[in-house]
Every structure is written in C-alpha cells, then in structure tokens.
Amino acid sequence: MDFTLRIWRQKNAKAKGHFETYQIHGIEEDASFLEMLDILNEQLINEGIDPVAVERGCQSSGPVSFDHDCREGICGACSLYIDGRAHGPDDEVTTCQLFMRKFKDGATITVEPWRSSAFPVIKDLVVDRQAYDKILQAGGYVSVRTGGVPDANAIAIPKEDSDKSMDAAACIGCGACVATCKNGSAMLFVAARVSSLALLPQGKVEAARRAKAMVAKMDELGFGACTNTRACEMECPKHITVDHIARLNREFLSAKFKD
C-alpha cells in the first residue's frame, strides 16, 4: 500500500509549526500505524540531512518525533490526531492498535498532535500531558489508612458498583477526550478517576475533598467546560461513558452543599 502523509512538524514548543508532505510505499495492510511511522523514519534517516532544508528551518529530512511506549493499548502514550479523529478512523482503539488496512491504498493521511492549550507541543507530534498528572496529584488517590490486604469477601461491595468502578478505572489517560472535545474539556478523564474511587468503600472517606480538588485543578490548568456533546465518549478508546461525568457532578455538588 502507498500513502501520502501530511505530518505536523514543529521544532519545539515556541517554534511555529507547519505541515510537511511525505510519500511512503510498500506498506503492509496489517502493519500498525506506528509501524508505518517507524518505516517512514527509517526512510528519512536513510535519505540523510539536507543542509539547504536545515538552513531554511525545515525538518523534512529528519525523523518525525512521536510518543509511544507499550504498543498494546495500555499506556495511552500514542496520542495522535489522524484524519480529524483522535487515534484515527477506528472505534475503541488507540493509535498503536490502528492498522493500515483501515485506510484506502493511495490515500492522503493527515497526522497532527493533540490540539489543546493544556497539552502544549514539545516537538512534532509529541505533546506534554503532565496536566493529567497534576490533576491526579490533586486528589486521584486514597491517602487514608485502609489496613492490610483483606480477604476477597471481607468488604461487601455490590457487583454493580464494583463493575462500574472497574469500567471507570479502565481509563488510560491518553487525552483523546480532551483532543476531540470542542471545549478541550478533561471532564471525562476526571470523572473516570473520581468515579472509580467514589463507588468503593475505600474511596468514600475522601470523596468530597477529592471531587473539589480535582475539579479545581482541572480548571486551574486551563481545560474547558463540558457542554455534553458526548464527543469524548465516542472517541474514548476504552469507551468510558458520560455516566461517570454525571456521577462526578453529583459528587462535586454534594461536597459544595456540605460546605
């Protein structure tokens, strides 16, 4: 398979970015999107560095920087905006789980980094997602003493609650919800973290503090507000639902009323 790639190139956070176009040939349809980018980078490295291009500030001769780690849909690092969709034209997958058979032979593919002021570009397709870490540090944990590891059935938790908690905990923090939201909202991410603990006995002790602190930190970092378009739910690779946003709102309002 042959493709024309329009890829966003940006030297650093302060530099002005631009699209550059590349041709790539002979890609197997069962290759993953990241494998295709690996092949492109090998091609660019083999072509060497064009001194004229460097002098003009272009990066067309250098490899494309993109983020990745596990390549198993677990870590959330492979944050790419492909043809107008977070993680590309497939449902409930991360970029590393996207295969080239999802594209037509000869297609032009546009690849961009996440577009959010809270996720500034570091270089090319790599963005700084430390904002998520800061939100978690504000309250996405249990700090009270919960004792040693109990027997499996020692703490009675309704199966419906445990299932919902596990569904929320499936969030990998990739940022697709923010990238696809017209407001750049992180509500789905925050809701998943709050919901996964709010449903469990261990998390109820600090529930009020957690909801207020994480929402306050989200606002402080410049994420937008939720207007219930549900775009985040549609693009989430782990299909985290907006039901968790409703739970976050209840937790937050309850905490504010108690104040």
Side-chain angles (χ1 to χ4, degrees):
M1 302 178 74
D2 302 333
F3 300 101
T4 299
L5 304 176
R6 293 182 67 246
I7 298 180
W8 184 260
R9 304 304 304 266
Q10 187 169 334
K11 188 175 181 180
N12 53 51
K14 295 182 179 180
K16 184 178 180 180
H18 60 281
F19 282 104
E20 292 192 14
T21 303
Y22 306 95
Q23 303 293 329
I24 191 164
H25 307 283
I27 302 298
E28 296 289 336
E29 65 175 13
D30 291 328
S32 74
F33 198 87
L34 296 190
E35 288 172 336
M36 182 274 295
L37 290 179
D38 288 337
I39 294 171
L40 171 66
N41 279 342
E42 287 183 10
Q43 175 181 310
L44 294 176
I45 291 170
N46 290 334
E47 288 174 355
I49 299 176
D50 181 358
V52 177
V54 173
E55 186 177 343
R56 286 183 293 143
C58 298
Q59 304 174 55
S60 56
S61 298
V64 178
S65 295
F66 62 95
D67 211 351
H68 63 93
D69 191 3
C70 71
R71 300 203 178 200
E72 295 178 346
I74 298 172
C75 69
C78 54
S79 47
L80 297 181
Y81 205 71
I82 305 165
D83 282 348
R85 287 189 64 180
H87 293 304
D90 202 355
D91 298 324
E92 298 182 26
V93 299
T94 53
T95 302
C96 61
Q97 297 172 306
L98 176 68
F99 293 95
M100 300 312 296
R101 57 178 173 268
K102 283 292 180 179
F103 301 90
K104 292 182 179 179
D105 188 16
T108 297
I109 304 172
T110 301
V111 190
E112 305 170 73
W114 283 166
R115 298 295 191 185
S116 171
S117 59
F119 294 154
V121 174
I122 296 175
K123 182 179 181 181
D124 294 343
L125 304 175
V126 181
V127 299
D128 184 350
R129 292 183 296 138
Q130 287 188 74
Y132 269 8
D133 296 331
K134 293 176 181 178
I135 292 174
L136 290 178
Q137 290 165 4
Y141 52 85
V142 173
S143 65
V144 297
R145 290 183 178 273
T146 58
V149 179
D151 293 335
N153 297 321
I155 301 177
I157 302 174
K159 186 177 187 306
E160 182 180 358
D161 289 347
S162 64
D163 286 348
K164 289 178 180 177
S165 176
M166 289 298 291
D167 288 344
C171 171
I172 58 176
C174 66
C177 51
V178 175
T180 199
C181 176
K182 66 178 183 179
N183 304 321
S185 174
M187 279 290 282
L188 192 65
F189 168 76
V190 177
R193 298 306 188 186
V194 168
S195 193
S196 66
L197 294 174
L199 289 160
L200 301 177
Q202 296 92 333
K204 293 186 182 299
V205 179
E206 300 173 291
R209 181 197 63 80
R210 178 182 302 111
K212 290 186 295 182
M214 294 182 74
V215 169
K217 181 58 71 172
M218 174 182 67
D219 293 340
E220 175 191 325
L221 293 169
F223 290 101
C226 175
T227 50
N228 299 310
T229 64
R230 303 183 72 170
C232 55
E233 179 184 75
M234 294 299 294
E235 296 294 2
C236 176
K238 300 302 178 183
H239 195 57
I240 308 296
T241 69
V242 295
D243 292 347
H244 297 295
I245 294 180
R247 183 171 293 103
L248 169 61
N249 288 333
R250 290 196 296 270
E251 292 284 328
F252 181 78
L253 290 174
S254 176
K256 285 295 186 180
F257 281 136
K258 288 178 181 178
D259 289 345

